[in-house]
Amino acid sequence: MRVLVTGGAGFIGSHVVEALAARGHEAVVFDVRCDPASDVRDTDAVRRALTGVDAVCHQAAMVGLGAGFADAVEYVSRNDLGTAALLTAMADTGVRRLVLAGSMVVYGEGRYACERHGVVRPGPRAVADLEAGRFEPPCPACGAALAPGLVGEDAPADPRNVYATTKLAQEHLAAAWARATGGTAVSLRYHNVYGPGMPRDTPYAGVASFFRSALARDEAPRVFEDGRQRRDFVHVRDVAAANVAALEASPAHGALTAYNTGSGDPHTVGEMAHALAAAYGGPEPVVTGEYRLGDVRHITADSARLRAELGWRAEVGFEAGMREFAEAGMRTA
């Protein structure tokens, strides 16, 4: 299979390229890092790159929370306009197979249960609560404490920041393209991806990058809130393998299928910071009590659908992955 990988020189994209080659496929890298003319927002450039291509693995995106709403135009341009231009070119050239780099951020908060009211969906956390160090969202019906659980793909979308909103819009665009063309579209909703080649010292990376960058500067990782927020840290090689599995699968035509892509082994942010610092041999993490508006408290995946339908499962365990990440090189851009 000949696969166009947008963002193929980036953190996740480069691992996807390696995974495709290992399976005997040919990857065509389309990335502004390699060629300034390879801008996914340029429909003509994408159309030329699609010559002889069987499928597209769309990794190109602006990621992370960035600098708040000031980045909204850039996020929408890179993520949503870029996806629209790509899909237009695919419609024009007859390429009918897409795997999209989705994200768990489309859910907002994860799944919560109240002893009295069952499964509930708390709204955005109030600034007054965050300032007072009350980080856990209460039951919206009675104010009681909630128990976090695993969120499934059928949970309603509730994006809480600009980045999350653009990732959901990408899925809607891909679904509309699939319906209009009869194409197949898969969105892999990545959880917290980490691993070798992660970008360093950038506000647009994930928390694992923030901590690893601090350790490289011989500084203590700064853990926001109380460090007890739960995430699913999934290794980049496992994410790359999920992309290959999705490309080799036979999903439904004329629709988008979403799959949570997580390790299935949730940990708190504090646990991750301590594991990484210990593996690196650096300063102990510092819990700051700071917060970022738009962050959610707990979001962990139920990836059972991906395992059942595509035969994928995460292979890199948390401790081994953190040890490798502590020693691995990072990219500067």
Side-chain angles (χ1 to χ4, degrees), residues 148-161:
L150 300 180
V151 63
E153 290 90 347
D154 296 330
D158 187 15
R160 299 287 176 91
N161 54 60

Side-chain angles (χ1 to χ4, degrees), residues 272-312:
M272 189 273 285
H274 280 282
L276 187 57
Y280 190 86
E284 284 287 301
V286 175
V287 177
T288 68
E290 297 173 84
Y291 64 89
R292 296 192 303 177
L293 284 175
D295 267 345
V296 298
R297 181 61 174 173
H298 304 296
I299 177 67
T300 53
D302 181 354
S303 299
R305 178 185 292 177
L306 183 57
R307 292 193 297 270
E309 296 185 7
L310 300 189
W312 171 93

Side-chain angles (χ1 to χ4, degrees), residues 1-5 17 20-21 23-28 52-55:
M1 187 188 309
R2 193 164 192 257
V3 182
L4 183 71
V5 183
V17 169
L20 284 166
R23 291 283 295 176
H25 302 297
E26 179 186 358
V28 179
V53 162
D54 302 300

Side-chain angles (χ1 to χ4, degrees), residues 129-257:
D129 286 338
L130 295 170
E131 290 284 353
R134 295 187 294 268
F135 301 120
E136 295 288 345
C139 174
C142 67
L146 298 174
L150 300 180
V151 63
E153 290 90 347
D154 296 330
D158 187 15
R160 299 287 176 91
N161 54 60
V162 172
Y163 169 62
T165 302
T166 64
K167 296 307 289 184
L168 182 59
Q170 283 184 303
E171 289 194 357
H172 288 318
L173 286 165
W177 165 85
R179 285 193 297 270
T181 65
T184 66
V186 169
S187 177
L188 298 174
R189 291 176 176 170
Y190 302 159
H191 279 248
N192 291 69
V193 186
Y194 74 96
M198 201 171 192
R200 63 177 295 176
D201 294 322
T202 168
Y204 299 97
V207 66
S209 173
F210 297 162
F211 293 166
R212 178 66 171 74
S213 296
L215 290 166
R217 299 190 301 268
D218 199 29
E219 298 174 3
R222 295 175 59 82
V223 181
F224 280 15
E225 301 187 17
D226 57 5
R228 296 175 184 171
Q229 54 272 51
R230 297 171 76 244
R231 297 291 188 270
D232 186 320
F233 299 99
V234 58
H235 196 278
V236 66
R237 286 198 299 275
D238 286 328
V239 167
N243 276 272
V244 176
L247 285 163
E248 293 179 341
S250 300
H253 289 264
L256 178 136
T257 305

Side-chain angles (χ1 to χ4, degrees), residues 102-145:
S103 176
M104 53 82 182
V105 296
V106 301
Y107 299 117
E109 289 284 355
R111 185 181 188 276
Y112 291 87
C114 171
E115 283 191 359
R116 181 178 175 187
H117 295 99
V119 176
V120 295
R121 294 187 58 78
R125 294 179 292 173
V127 171
D129 286 338
L130 295 170
E131 290 284 353
R134 295 187 294 268
F135 301 120
E136 295 288 345
C139 174
C142 67

